[in-house]
Amino acid sequence: MSLLVLGSIALDTVKTPVEERSELLGGSASYAAVAASYFSPVQLVGIVGDDFPASEFDFWKSRKIDTAGVQRAAGKTFRWSGEYSWDLNTRQTHATELNVFENFEPELPKSYRETDFALLANIAPSLQSHVLDQMNKPRFVVVDTMNLWIETARADLDALLRDVDLLILNDSEAREMTKETSLIKAGRGIRKMGPRYVAIKKGEHGALLFGENEFFSCGAYPLEDIHDPTGAGDTFAGGMAGYLAGNVKKVTFTDLRKAMIYGSVLASFCVEAFSLERLRDLNMDQINERYETFKLMSQFEVPA
Ligand code: AMP
């Protein structure tokens, strides 16, 4: 089954302690769509300016990412720039230029409206609701968000949460949203705001998953070399939602546990290189090899 992916399509400038790169393909939808495309066909929704490289449309096509929902507008593509500190965990945003996103009013193509799975990747919650409202009762809706919207668009986010099956956010955002220091209390508290399931990402420390009376925790893939953490969260969301859309009819907590591992696997590839460089040409053998490593890592009773 297909997955609709809405989010930003961006040109990023990223500075790490050892390298700076500019005009990189980025954006929450770019990362999420490519990650998801390893598991299911994707219907992409977004907007780019007239400075956006045409070659990217060819790449999307090669990965079975439908771009009928991507608008090309006069003006500049969304731009974001950020800088990481030495631990590659803390990040400072230097600039966010909305550009063509400022007047973006997505109109879903007819072929997208009946799609069963949706990933509303990180973008203003009002836009996420606008797209969801045009869909005909999708079976499973995944939403990703960020601190900016918790701080500046809380009412819009709260309204959206009532229609969400799985909310994905990171640890500091979960704490900010609930004013709880305990992530367990935060996860349970966010469920009371609407989402049936909540996934809390903890960067290099893995992720937590909350359902009704259900809980799951996984670590992160043990990577030695991280070059650029940008997009890891979006990739995690894309891997999770893509796995569900491609493999599951009626989502259960058991499916979500597996989906969270696939999300973590894809995110581990993402951070090994700048932009989407490492994500572009993976294959299922490489993905499944890391999946098996996760399986082995989480066994604590092994035969002598
Ligand atoms: P992540 O590292 O998973 O938080 O995602 C980084 C990506 O999010 C970058 O490629 C940015 O282009 C994109 N991004 C940053 N700020 C925003 C925003 N306010 N809305 C949508 N996308 C954003």
Side-chain angles (χ1 to χ4, degrees):
M1 258 177 279
S2 293
L3 173 72
L4 179 146
V5 175
L6 160 77
S8 58
I9 301 171
L11 294 174
D12 289 344
T13 297
V14 174
K15 192 170 179 203
T16 71
V18 290
E19 209 176 339
E20 177 165 1
R21 305 262 298 265
S22 57
E23 300 287 295
L24 296 168
L25 178 69
S28 57
S30 309
Y31 284 104
V34 173
S37 72
Y38 286 97
F39 305 100
S40 70
V42 170
Q43 298 170 326
L44 185 58
V45 185
I47 187 167
V48 298
D50 44 26
D51 54 356
F52 191 76
S55 57
E56 215 42 50
F57 280 85
D58 298 331
F59 170 69
W60 285 329
K61 202 171 169 192
S62 76
R63 291 232 42 91
K64 296 208 166 42
I65 296 173
D66 184 346
T67 55
V70 179
Q71 292 178 21
R72 281 184 249 210
K76 284 171 79 179
T77 299
F78 175 87
R79 273 177 171 71
W80 172 82
S81 69
E83 180 172 354
Y84 293 90
S85 54
W86 269 102
D87 65 2
L88 287 181
N89 238 342
T90 17
R91 174 170 86 189
Q92 201 193 342
T93 291
H94 287 316
T96 305
E97 295 171 31
L98 290 180
N99 300 329
V100 289
F101 255 103
E102 217 149 342
N103 301 311
F104 182 42
E105 280 191 24
E107 165 89 16
L108 290 191
K110 266 212 179 79
S111 55
Y112 283 34
R113 293 175 188 239
E114 304 294 323
T115 300
D116 278 326
F117 285 78
L119 168 56
L120 309 174
N122 177 33
I123 196 78
S126 55
L127 270 179
Q128 292 173 315
S129 289
H130 180 73
V131 163
L132 188 55
D133 288 347
Q134 294 174 57
M135 296 185 75
N136 187 14
K137 296 196 191 83
R139 221 180 278 177
F140 201 83
V141 177
V142 182
V143 167
D144 190 5
T145 194
M146 72 185 291
N147 56 346
L148 177 68
W149 313 123
I150 295 169
E151 288 154 21
T152 65
R154 187 60 194 262
D156 290 345
L157 183 59
D158 285 344
L160 172 71
L161 288 185
R162 290 177 215 124
D163 299 320
V164 170
D165 293 289
L166 168 66
L167 179 71
I168 302 178
L169 69 182
N170 72 26
D171 44 6
S172 63
E173 292 155 357
R175 289 190 169 107
E176 189 174 349
M177 208 163 157
T178 56
K179 311 264 182 299
E180 294 283 2
T181 48
S182 152
L183 286 181
I184 305 298
K185 280 189 184 163
R188 291 182 178 148
I190 295 168
R191 279 198 71 253
K192 293 199 183 114
M193 299 174 190
R196 277 165 59 206
Y197 304 103
V198 175
I200 300 182
K201 300 165 288 177
K202 300 187 295 168
E204 62 183 330
H205 304 297
L208 307 175
L209 180 65
F210 298 84
E212 191 179 13
N213 304 319
E214 289 154 316
F215 174 74
F216 177 60
S217 165
C218 73
Y221 187 83
L223 277 181
E224 287 194 16
D225 290 316
I226 297 179
H227 288 278
D228 173 17
T230 308
D234 313 311
T235 304
F236 175 90
M240 254 192 113
Y243 169 77
L244 294 172
N247 295 280
V248 178
K249 274 221 164 104
K250 193 173 177 323
V251 177
T252 65
F253 199 77
T254 307
D255 302 315
L256 286 164
R257 289 164 73 112
K258 283 174 84 172
M260 202 157 91
I261 302 300
Y262 278 114
S264 305
V265 166
L266 267 294
S268 76
F269 285 114
C270 170
V271 303
E272 284 185 315
F274 275 80
S275 182
L276 285 99
E277 284 164 18
R278 185 76 176 96
L279 289 179
R280 281 179 190 275
D281 55 0
L282 293 173
N283 60 51
M284 281 318 287
D285 286 345
Q286 292 169 311
I287 291 170
N288 285 327
E289 196 181 314
R290 288 197 180 180
Y291 182 88
E292 290 304 316
T293 304
F294 266 98
K295 220 186 248 177
L296 290 173
M297 275 193 332
S298 58
Q299 283 173 3
F300 60 91
E301 282 193 9
V302 287

